[in-house]
Amino acid sequence: ILGHYIQQEADAARASLESAGLSVQLQQYYDKPVTDHSHTSAFTLATGESEIRGETRTLAVITIRGTGDGEWYSNFDFAGESKENALYAENFMAAAQDIYDQSAPLLSELDRPVIVVTGYSRGAACANLLGVLLDAEYSKEDVYVYTFATPNTLRGENTGYDNIFNLVKVN
């Protein structure tokens, strides 16, 4: 499943997740125009049943793609942070919050879901922050974040997030 993080096209992400036995519930922003400077990221949310820690549970997977054509502007914060001493990169947090807001109604319908979030590059930065948002809502034992080639998203020490894993180099 974790290999889907880099899929640039909605159809490819859907096919990969469905081949893993998951059903796609939501896809957004894969066709975002270059002229759209909103802080969003293309993502797919898929669900399925899985054996987790000895019981059948609902697995929710959120994959956030790396930077697409319409997202380059949002990788940079040309105007600077709007909050002095911000603890996170606001441009990435805005995209993570958007994904959270769109996913929350679907996730709330699930009984005790186990949530896996994954992303690459820009998607990894958003996945990290989405993990922080999900940790506030769900048990950390049921939220897992795996990211690849992650830009820095937090300022200061990153403590208390032992369910968020950033992979820099994989052999």
Side-chain angles (χ1 to χ4, degrees):
I1 291 174
L2 298 179
H4 312 295
Y5 62 89
I6 199 166
Q7 296 292 348
Q8 292 295 318
E9 301 297 327
D11 291 342
R14 176 180 295 278
S16 293
L17 290 162
E18 288 177 348
S19 73
L22 300 170
S23 298
V24 171
Q25 305 298 318
L26 179 64
Q27 287 190 299
Q28 292 289 353
Y29 306 121
Y30 285 91
D31 57 354
K32 181 179 175 179
V34 175
T35 56
D36 180 351
H37 295 157
S38 62
H39 293 306
T40 57
S41 287
F43 72 97
T44 300
L45 185 151
T47 60
E49 298 297 313
S50 185
E51 184 77 15
I52 300 169
R53 294 187 295 272
E55 63 179 307
T56 301
R57 300 274 302 272
T58 300
L59 175 65
V61 177
I62 301 172
T63 62
I64 309 170
R65 81 158 175 209
T67 306
D69 290 341
E71 295 161 341
W72 279 105
Y73 179 85
S74 190
N75 278 350
F76 306 100
D77 190 355
F78 295 110
E81 302 293 343
S82 64
K83 297 177 187 171
E84 185 128 351
N85 301 323
L87 298 176
Y88 47 81
E90 290 183 45
N91 52 333
F92 296 134
M93 179 55 97
Q97 184 69 55
D98 178 71
I99 295 168
Y100 178 86
D101 291 345
Q102 291 192 56
S103 300
L106 294 166
L107 295 173
S108 71
E109 293 176 5
L110 305 175
D111 181 34
R112 296 176 39 239
V114 172
I115 304 167
V116 175
V117 181
T118 186
Y120 169 77
S121 190
R122 172 185 175 70
C126 296
N128 272 344
L129 294 171
L130 178 59
V132 171
L133 296 171
L134 291 166
D135 278 357
E137 183 69 26
Y138 297 92
S139 167
K140 284 187 179 183
E141 290 80 32
D142 291 335
V143 176
Y144 300 90
V145 179
Y146 299 94
T147 66
F148 305 86
T150 312
N152 191 16
T153 56
L154 296 176
R155 290 162 179 74
E157 193 164 331
N158 181 3
T159 60
Y161 299 106
D162 54 358
N163 59 332
I164 298 175
F165 305 95
N166 298 300
L167 303 173
V168 177
K169 182 179 178 182
V170 180
N171 288 332

